[in-house]
């Protein structure tokens, strides 16, 4: 059998895309994810359990045996997902005539595939860095000052993640004499297990851990309408895959994930930029996945990766619908939108399907995966975490399920000139919407791809009634708050997040410290100059006509002085 690593077709197509134009490039870019999916399906056939695997592409560096391609059910799930996501995103971007953006998109998708099928840590590191390098061009492709600045901050933080990963790999190779990519864990303190903690932090930055999440909410809204769709699909999901492989059952992740699921709600509710609302919502959904990985049971891991699969589709659908609004109207702030359902009815319906999916309505995709993580939390004694996730679910419905479609398409009529977006955008959104409904109605299609065998039924009376009650009371709260004028209005504003620390506070503090150091330097220089002037003035005083240096000295006195000095020298030299 002729074996081709999944990233190779994407890289080849990206190279050809530099020279092709028009329909030839479009056909090539559509064909690549389809043919790649067929290739992956053939490679993955026969891997029926999480323990089995396929290996090829062995190569050696120094004393280490490295593997370019390693597949099991965990990596295959993400491989299928990335091919589907790439196909949808490519179709959505067919109207774009930007070689840089199109080529970078394929390289980005290929890098994600290379990372999830890396059989060793060094290969993972190479694709980890390629992810950062290729994705930043999707931010810069918008070509304005805000995009350039956000892209630079994005790239800096991702390079930091790569440096931490490289440091962890070096420590890991010294301890284990191997670079095999498998379970790593956090046993011991950072001093006892520096490899585990460094790799954990590297993965955590790309997962959007609290205090490291600013790159996501900063850069994604500044990308192009099509670039954001690609960005939402790959980087964070590669990190979730890596975390699921290296740190399953790490209890610290349960509490980190619960925090991630909760805190973005407060920012999303008051945020005016609707794509930034979705960026916060992405962190919220990542929190559910991180909780599942932290719990570490078969049900929890399955729930985490199933939710990752669904999130790429329904979050991509929401980003596509907001990208369509931005493409048509040139505006994305909730305070400037409204009433678009009259002029964009198809986009409105597709957006509502995405909103229902992320809100976990029964018969939509989010319901069949989010409930798995919450069930695992209850079964394993994390009652408080379950309550937090329940609150987070209600918050998701508020800021993504209601706020996004309400303020974009309904609310007040902004009377903007608008129309439906290009056909390719509608086709891509329709494919994503169909997948949201298919997975929600027939969850076994997704469950059969999960890493572990399980017997789980999402549509039992308890799950359905609990979720419907939650959604009903959340909607009631939204209506009541709006009628009472208590719901945060959509206003032009700047909301401070933790990135304010390194974007404003630290630069201002450094600037203030530098100014003080320069002022101190000037004072010291002034004092030194005054001291030198006094010294020079004193010497000049001695050279005045009546000064000591201006007097006439007898020759005999000079000779006597020299003799005295010579005598002292001889005495000292004889001691």
């Amino acid at each position: 059998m002729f074996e081709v690593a999944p990233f190779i077709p994407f890289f080849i197509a990206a190279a050809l895309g530099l020279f092709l134009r028009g329909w030839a490039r479009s056909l090539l870019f559509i064909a690549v994810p389809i043919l790649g999916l067929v290739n992956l399906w053939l490679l993955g056939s026969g891997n029926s359990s999480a323990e089995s695997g396929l290996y090829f592409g062995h190569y050696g560096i120094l004393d280490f045996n490295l593997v370019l391609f390693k597949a099991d059910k965990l990596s295959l799930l993400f491989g299928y997902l990335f091919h589907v996501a790439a196909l949808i995103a490519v179709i959505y971007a067919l109207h774009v005539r930007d070689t840089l953006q199109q080529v970078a998109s394929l390289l980005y998708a290929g890098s994600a595939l290379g990372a999830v099928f890396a059989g060793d840590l060094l290969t993972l590191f190479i694709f980890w860095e390629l992810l950062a390098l290729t994705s930043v061009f999707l931010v810069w492709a918008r070509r304005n000052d805000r995009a350039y600045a956000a892209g630079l901050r994005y790239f800096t933080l991702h390079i930091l993640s790569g440096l931490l990963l490289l440091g962890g790999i070096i420590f890991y190779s010294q301890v284990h004499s191997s670079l095999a990519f498998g379970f790593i864990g956090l046993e011991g303190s950072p001093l006892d297990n520096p490899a585990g903690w460094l790799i954990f932090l590297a993965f955590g930055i790309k997962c959007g851990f609290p205090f490291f999440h600013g790159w996501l909410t900063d850069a994604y809204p500044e990308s192009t309408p099509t670039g954001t769709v690609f960005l939402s699909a790959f980087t964070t999901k590669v990190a979730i895959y890596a975390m699921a492989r290296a740190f399953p059952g790490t209890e610290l992740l349960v509490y980190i994930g619960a925090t991630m699921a909760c805190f973005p709600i407060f920012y999303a509710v008051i945020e005016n930029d609707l794509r930034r609302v979705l960026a916060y919502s992405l962190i919220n959904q990542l929190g559910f996945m991180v909780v599942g990985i932290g719990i570490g049971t078969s049900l929890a891991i399955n729930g985490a990766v199933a939710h990752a699969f669904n999130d790429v589709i329904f979050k991509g659908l929401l980003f596509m619908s907001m990208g369509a609004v931005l493409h048509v109207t040139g505006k994305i702030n909730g305070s400037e939108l409204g009433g678009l359902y009259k002029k964009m009815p198809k986009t409105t319906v597709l957006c509502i399907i995405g909103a229902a999916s992320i809100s976990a309505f029964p018969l939509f995709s989010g319901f069949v995966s989010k409930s798995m993580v919450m069930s695992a939390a209850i079964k394993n004694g994390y009652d408080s975490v379950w309550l937090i996730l329940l609150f987070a679910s209600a918050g998701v419905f508020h800021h993504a399920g209601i706020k996004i479609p309400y303020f974009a398409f309904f609310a007040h009529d902004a009377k903007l000139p608008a129309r439906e977006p290009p056909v390719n955008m509608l086709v891509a959104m329709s494919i994503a919407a169909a997948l949201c409904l298919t997975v929600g109605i027939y969850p076994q299609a997704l469950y059969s791809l999960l890493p572990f065998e399980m017997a789980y039924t999402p549509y039992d009376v308890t799950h359905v009634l609990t979720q419907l009650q939650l959604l009903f009371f959340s909607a009631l709260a939204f209506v009541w708050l709006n009628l009472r004028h208590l719901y945060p209005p959509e206003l032009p504003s700047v909301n401070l997040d933790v990135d304010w620390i390194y974007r404003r506070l630290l630069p201002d503090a450094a600037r203030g410290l530098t100014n003080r150091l320069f002022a101190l330097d000037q004072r010291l220089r002034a004092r030194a100059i005054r001291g030198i002037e006094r010294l020079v003035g004193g010497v000049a005083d001695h050279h005045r006509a009546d000064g000591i240096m201006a007097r006439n000295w007898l020759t005999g006195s000079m000779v006597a002085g020299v003799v005295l000095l010579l005598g002292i020298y001889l005495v000292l030299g004889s001691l």
Side-chain angles (χ1 to χ4, degrees):
M1 178 181 176
F2 185 66
E3 297 166 334
V4 179
F7 72 90
I8 292 177
F10 285 82
F11 281 17
I12 293 175
L16 293 175
L18 292 171
F19 307 100
L20 298 176
R21 295 292 184 271
W23 62 267
R25 179 194 284 176
S26 299
L27 287 178
L28 174 66
F29 284 9
I30 292 175
V32 165
I34 296 174
L35 295 177
L37 186 60
V38 173
N39 171 61
L40 183 60
W41 185 265
L42 294 175
L43 288 174
S45 60
N47 292 292
S48 58
S49 69
E51 291 75 24
S52 66
L54 172 66
Y55 305 81
F56 66 79
H58 293 265
Y59 63 103
I61 293 180
L62 300 177
D63 295 328
F64 298 106
N65 182 33
L66 308 180
V67 182
L68 193 63
F69 179 88
K70 174 186 175 183
D72 57 15
K73 292 201 73 173
L74 178 62
S75 56
L76 284 172
L77 172 70
F78 282 88
Y80 298 142
L81 169 63
F82 288 166
H83 280 88
V84 172
L87 176 61
I88 294 173
V90 164
I91 294 174
Y92 184 78
L94 282 178
H95 64 283
V96 174
R97 297 293 180 264
D98 183 349
T99 299
L100 172 65
Q101 190 176 172
Q102 290 176 303
V103 170
S105 298
L106 280 194
L107 291 174
Y108 179 40
S111 300
L113 287 166
V116 299
F117 290 110
D120 62 90
L121 289 169
L122 185 57
T123 304
L124 174 69
F125 169 75
I126 293 171
F127 288 107
W128 196 262
E129 293 298 88
L130 284 175
L131 273 172
L133 182 62
T134 54
S135 60
V136 72
F137 286 101
L138 298 178
V139 182
W140 286 337
R142 202 171 181 188
R143 294 178 173 86
N144 60 35
D145 292 340
R146 289 174 60 91
Y148 290 138
L152 183 60
R153 291 188 293 268
Y154 170 93
F155 190 60
T156 301
L157 207 56
H158 282 260
I159 290 299
L160 172 62
S161 172
L163 291 174
L164 291 172
L165 178 58
L166 181 60
I169 291 171
I170 293 172
F171 282 113
Y172 188 87
S173 64
Q174 291 176 343
V175 174
H176 299 277
S177 300
S178 170
L179 291 177
F181 184 27
F183 177 79
I184 296 174
L186 283 183
E187 290 78 9
S189 67
L191 294 178
D192 298 329
N193 183 16
W197 282 93
L198 286 173
I199 294 173
F200 181 78
L201 285 175
F203 293 169
I205 288 175
K206 290 201 177 185
C207 277
F209 277 8
F211 302 107
F212 297 105
H213 65 276
W215 63 267
L216 199 159
T217 56
D218 181 27
Y220 281 22
E222 300 303 333
S223 180
T224 63
T226 55
T228 306
V229 178
F230 280 94
L231 290 170
S232 68
F234 297 113
T235 296
T236 53
K237 303 313 178 295
V238 169
I240 289 294
Y241 159 79
M243 197 69 79
R245 184 169 292 283
F247 299 98
T250 302
E251 190 174 20
L252 177 60
L253 286 173
V254 176
Y255 304 106
I256 293 175
T259 305
M260 292 172 64
C262 193
F263 85 85
I265 294 171
F266 301 100
Y267 284 101
V269 166
I270 63 175
E271 181 58 57
N272 189 27
D273 185 323
L274 297 184
R275 289 205 299 173
R276 187 164 279 109
V277 172
L278 289 176
Y280 278 113
S281 178
L282 177 55
I283 300 171
N284 164 273
Q285 298 301 301
L286 290 169
F288 283 86
M289 304 169 208
V290 171
V291 168
I293 295 169
I295 294 172
T297 63
S298 297
L299 176 61
I301 296 293
N302 278 347
V305 298
H307 201 55
F309 188 101
N310 288 332
D311 182 73
V312 168
I313 306 302
F314 61 62
K315 190 58 62 59
L317 176 53
L318 289 170
F319 270 116
M320 284 189 286
S321 62
M322 292 301 99
V325 169
L326 178 60
H327 176 78
V328 170
T329 67
K331 301 182 184 299
I332 198 60
N333 290 336
S335 59
E336 300 172 329
L337 297 172
L340 294 178
Y341 75 94
K342 302 172 185 176
K343 301 173 183 177
M344 304 176 69
K346 296 176 184 177
T347 306
T348 302
V349 172
L350 293 169
C351 179
I352 290 173
I353 292 175
S357 298
I358 195 174
S359 302
F361 270 86
L363 302 180
F364 291 86
S365 58
F367 178 79
V368 303
S369 55
K370 188 179 292 185
S371 60
M372 295 167 68
V373 175
M374 297 183 70
S375 296
I378 281 289
K379 289 181 179 179
N380 289 274
Y382 292 103
D383 295 354
S384 59
V385 172
W386 179 83
L387 288 173
I388 292 173
L389 296 182
L390 192 67
F391 167 76
S393 297
V396 170
F397 183 45
H398 265 259
H399 69 253
I402 298 178
K403 177 175 180 171
I404 292 291
Y406 177 74
F407 286 106
F409 299 103
F410 302 100
H412 64 282
D413 190 348
K415 301 186 184 303
L416 294 172
R419 62 191 184 283
E420 292 288 6
V423 174
N424 61 289
M425 284 185 160
L426 291 173
V427 170
M429 289 189 283
S430 298
I431 295 172
L435 287 172
C436 289
L437 290 168
T438 300
V439 173
I441 295 170
Y442 183 60
Q444 290 302 322
L446 174 59
Y447 290 173
S448 63
L449 300 175
L450 297 178
F452 302 102
E453 299 291 337
M454 65 173 188
Y456 178 77
T457 304
Y459 290 108
D460 62 23
V461 175
T462 302
H463 288 153
V464 173
L465 288 181
T466 300
Q467 189 64 16
L468 287 177
Q469 290 176 30
L470 178 69
L471 295 170
F472 172 77
F473 285 108
S474 295
L476 191 64
F478 179 84
V479 172
W480 184 83
L481 289 171
N482 261 299
L483 292 175
R484 293 282 183 171
H485 303 288
L486 297 175
Y487 194 84
E490 299 299 291
L491 298 173
S493 61
V494 175
N495 297 320
L496 300 184
D497 202 341
V498 293
D499 59 337
W500 175 79
I501 295 174
Y502 64 82
R503 291 180 61 181
R504 293 295 183 187
L505 180 62
L506 291 181
D508 288 348
R511 195 177 298 112
L513 178 60
T514 302
N515 291 337
R516 290 188 180 90
L517 289 175
F518 276 123
L520 177 61
D521 175 71
Q522 290 177 349
R523 287 197 296 271
L524 291 176
R525 287 172 182 269
R527 291 180 182 178
I529 291 173
R530 287 195 296 271
I532 293 173
E533 289 175 347
R534 285 195 295 269
L535 177 62
V536 172
V539 172
D541 289 341
H542 289 301
H543 282 81
R544 292 198 311 267
D546 57 346
I548 189 172
M549 299 299 294
R551 297 175 185 174
N552 292 323
W553 294 79
L554 296 176
T555 303
S557 300
M558 294 292 293
V559 172
V562 171
V563 170
L564 177 62
L565 291 175
L566 180 60
I568 295 172
Y569 174 77
L570 292 175
V571 172
L572 293 176
S574 64
L575 293 178

